[in-house]
Amino acid sequence: MNQATATPSTPTFKDRDSTDLIVVHCSATKTSADIGVRDITQWHIQRGFDTVGYHYVIRRNGELETGRPESAIGAHVRGHNSNSIGICLAGGVDANNTPENNFTPAQFATLKVLLDKLNARYPQAKILGHRDLSPDKNGDGKITPNEFIKACPSFDVGQWLAGHAL
Ligand SMILES: [Zn+2]
């Protein structure tokens, strides 16, 4: 592709006052797409954000990448950005773009380690999936690509947590 590459303009971040939610997302990309923070940053800039909306991204190989500073207000879920941390797992749709729980064991292992740390830092925060917050799809056009898929993050975070006590 010859598409011009958007350059992030050093964004200034505002810190959150509270952290009540830790929201798990997926990128709604196919298993063949080895994407990470760099790719998502481009998509989010094209959508009008300053930079990547998530605080963390977990690549297909389980590698953890940092997006926004953890203390900053994110841009990943309508109505809850000011009090939440956003984590995005690469993947989540099948070859026909249908939501599918197709994350790798390495991704789930990294998610577990990350959530353990975040849970220790923010013991009051509730961990859930994006779909558990039932976002309003008819928004202002400033939502991330995965927000178009109600199934995000394509698996039941509560059920998964129940089997992986923090
Ligand atoms: Zn989402």
Side-chain angles (χ1 to χ4, degrees):
M1 286 210 286
N2 290 322
Q3 208 173 357
T5 302
T7 309
S9 57
T10 353
T12 46
F13 296 108
K14 269 180 70 179
D15 279 348
R16 285 186 311 279
D17 292 327
S18 61
T19 305
D20 305 316
L21 301 171
I22 296 170
V23 186
V24 180
H25 297 263
C26 72
S27 59
T29 48
K30 296 169 188 174
T31 56
S32 55
D34 179 26
I35 57 113
V37 162
R38 279 180 64 118
D39 309 87
I40 297 174
T41 299
Q42 296 301 325
W43 303 339
H44 285 188
I45 286 172
Q46 282 161 15
R47 293 219 159 256
F49 293 162
D50 290 335
T51 185
V52 60
Y54 308 112
H55 300 87
Y56 293 105
V57 173
I58 301 176
R59 301 185 73 104
R60 298 293 303 170
N61 67 1
E63 189 184 336
L64 179 66
E65 295 185 330
T66 303
R68 299 198 176 203
E70 190 182 296
S71 59
I73 294 175
H76 57 99
V77 52
R78 274 176 68 84
H80 300 281
N81 285 315
S82 61
N83 65 342
S84 69
I85 291 175
I87 304 166
C88 178
L89 279 72
V93 298
D94 69 11
N96 300 311
N97 286 320
T98 301
E100 178 182 61
N101 180 351
N102 54 22
F103 305 102
T104 66
Q107 286 182 295
F108 280 119
T110 300
L111 180 63
K112 169 79 168 76
V113 171
L114 177 60
L115 288 177
D116 276 341
K117 283 184 189 159
L118 294 176
N119 186 51
R121 250 175 259 160
Y122 312 96
Q124 76 288 355
K126 189 174 181 338
I127 301 169
L128 35 64
H130 185 185
R131 70 184 188 182
D132 301 317
L133 291 167
S134 303
D136 174 11
K137 278 180 76 190
N138 305 314
D140 57 6
K142 288 193 134 192
I143 51 175
T144 55
N146 60 290
E147 261 79 49
F148 296 128
I149 293 175
K150 277 191 207 163
C152 178
S154 299
F155 71 101
D156 186 332
V157 173
Q159 193 179 63
W160 177 80
L161 280 174
H164 300 78
L166 297 179

